[in-house]
């Protein structure tokens, strides 16, 4: 069994996950684009891992988009995406909130029919290790 730790950007909410991830999906649906402000969400899923809040659980709030299964938990102070239990026994962990390195590569891109137009052909875009001058 593997242990992972994570936190929000302001450091108020801290958590630990014990267990293994079943999948790592990059979701391109329009809901994930809106709630991340990016091209896709990057979430790890587990049906067996255990989530324990170490600090700041009272600062975690959850938004459910009416009429959908789309949910997002986040820190009410800094807005960082945080773990959520989507359905009984299915834990979703936003990959970017983990402080522990994850060696698992993404399993798949999903909802690619909604993929942002500007998210195609990014292999030719220049890369910088920091802010370009």
């Amino acid at each position: 069994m593997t242990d992972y730790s994570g936190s929000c950007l302001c450091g108020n909410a801290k958590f630990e996950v014990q267990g293994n991830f079943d999948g790592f999906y990059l979701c391109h649906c329009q809901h994930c684009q809106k709630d991340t402000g990016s091209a896709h969400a990057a979430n790890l899923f587990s049906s067996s891992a255990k989530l324990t809040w170490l600090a700041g659980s009272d600062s975690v709030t959850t938004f459910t988009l009416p009429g959908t299964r789309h949910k997002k938990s986040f820190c009410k102070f800094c807005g960082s995406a945080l773990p959520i239990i989507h359905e009984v026994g299915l834990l979703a962990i936003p990959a970017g909130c983990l402080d522990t390195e994850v060696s698992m590569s993404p399993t798949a891109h999903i909802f690619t029919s909604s993929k942002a137009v500007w998210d195609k052909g990014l292999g030719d875009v220049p890369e910088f290790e920091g802010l370009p001058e």
Side-chain angles (χ1 to χ4, degrees), residues 9-87:
L9 185 61
C10 70
N12 192 56
K14 296 179 182 178
F15 63 90
E16 179 180 83
V17 175
Q18 293 178 315
N20 296 312
F21 298 120
D22 303 323
F24 183 0
Y25 295 98
L26 305 178
C27 183
H28 295 267
C29 79
Q30 291 178 337
H31 302 319
C32 285
Q33 289 178 36
K34 285 282 187 186
D35 77 24
T36 64
S38 187
H40 57 76
N43 290 306
L44 296 142
F45 291 90
S46 179
S47 58
S48 60
K50 180 183 175 194
L51 171 67
T52 304
W53 290 101
L54 303 175
S57 64
D58 56 337
S59 68
V60 180
T61 190
T62 300
F63 170 76
T64 302
L65 186 62
T68 73
R69 296 183 324 177
H70 187 83
K71 294 181 181 182
K72 178 181 180 173
S73 284
F74 55 95
C75 173
K76 65 182 178 183
F77 297 110
C78 67
S80 296
L82 291 167
I84 185 171
I85 297 176
H86 277 283
E87 298 169 7

Side-chain angles (χ1 to χ4, degrees), residues 4-5 9 16 29 51 53 76 86 98 102 104 114 116 122 124 131:
Y4 299 92
S5 62
L9 185 61
E16 179 180 83
C29 79
L51 171 67
W53 290 101
K76 65 182 178 183
H86 277 283
L98 288 173
V102 176
M104 182 180 198
S114 301
L122 296 179
D124 297 329
L131 190 62

